[in-house]
Amino acid sequence: MGQGGEPRRVQSYDGELGAAVARAQQGDEAAFAVAYRLVQPGLLGYVRGLVGDDAEDVASDAWLEISRDLGRFKGDGAGFRGWSATIARHRALDHLRRQKVRPRSSALEQDVLDLPGPHSTHDQALESISTEYALELVRGLPRDQAEAVLLRVVVGLDGPAAARVLGKRPGAVRTAAYRGLKRLARRLGGESAGEGVTDDGPRTLGEST
């Protein structure tokens, strides 16, 4: 089910995660700890990409809400990752509003017209995305691209799930993730990824707005 380059390493634990969430909903605290251990690294990376050094505090607030509302959750392991990412996103945006930090804005760049082969771009970005340096680079992307990349690569959501978290159409999120990964790969030294331009990247500029 890993279409669109969703990391297999994330998907591999969805069965374990779903089982842990189901037990946690029955009051099993050890199972909740398992769910936390499986989800927290990706969730923290996502939040760090949004709020930087305040990520630990924001993620803690998100987990308080997740534990409080766990009984209302319905779904499997992948669904839980999306649900927890939605809660974390709301907490992060609340934090940014309190800090009066305005989202970065960036004009569309010409690189949209020069799409590389998807595998080279994704592989280069995936290799380095977990490092602090890469997260800093992601934070420098336009907001829609940064969030799409973080949700797809760090949290490991598929396209439709990421779109639900962001309240956008899947095509818009796919476009934003593609542009973000291309820009990130270039910043990580991936200029050679320009070989093999393909048509599978959407070219509709208006979709990401």
Side-chain angles (χ1 to χ4, degrees), residues 2 27 42 45 55 99-100 106 163 195 203 205:
Q99 298 294 315
K100 294 187 168 51
S106 173
E195 306 167 4
R203 295 169 185 264
L205 299 186

Side-chain angles (χ1 to χ4, degrees), residues 11-185:
Q11 288 187 322
S12 65
Y13 62 62
D14 274 346
E16 182 185 356
L17 176 58
V21 170
R23 292 196 308 273
Q25 289 180 311
Q26 303 299 319
D28 185 334
E29 291 185 14
F32 185 82
V34 170
Y36 174 88
R37 176 173 54 80
L38 292 172
V39 172
Q40 169 67 353
L43 201 69
L44 185 61
Y46 174 46
V47 173
R48 182 169 286 123
L50 295 178
V51 304
D53 293 340
D54 295 326
E56 295 275 1
D57 290 341
V58 172
S60 294
D61 288 344
W63 278 106
L64 285 174
E65 185 171 339
I66 290 166
S67 62
R68 187 192 71 207
D69 294 344
L70 186 62
R72 300 210 319 255
F73 170 73
K74 289 181 174 56
D76 57 9
F80 184 77
R81 282 192 284 121
W83 182 70
S84 58
T86 300
I87 290 174
R89 180 175 193 262
H90 290 159
R91 296 285 69 78
L93 295 182
D94 286 347
H95 175 82
L96 291 176
R97 276 191 287 270
R98 284 196 300 273
Q99 298 294 315
K100 294 187 168 51
V101 174
R102 299 190 181 282
R104 292 176 56 92
S105 61
S106 173
L108 287 172
E109 293 185 2
Q110 175 182 329
D111 62 7
V112 178
L113 303 176
D114 177 27
L115 298 173
H119 298 300
S120 54
T121 301
H122 282 235
D123 289 347
Q124 285 169 342
L126 285 168
E127 284 303 314
S128 303
I129 193 73
S130 61
T131 67
E132 291 293 325
Y133 173 63
L135 282 174
E136 282 303 309
L137 290 180
V138 171
R139 291 193 72 207
L141 296 173
R143 172 64 65 83
D144 64 330
Q145 294 179 18
E147 287 208 69
V149 169
L150 290 165
L151 287 171
R152 294 300 308 276
V153 177
V154 179
V155 181
L157 301 184
D158 64 17
R164 283 193 294 275
V165 171
L166 297 174
K168 294 184 175 182
R169 297 191 312 277
V173 175
R174 186 174 64 247
T175 302
Y178 197 89
R179 293 173 186 164
L181 282 170
K182 179 181 186 298
R183 189 177 304 189
L184 183 62

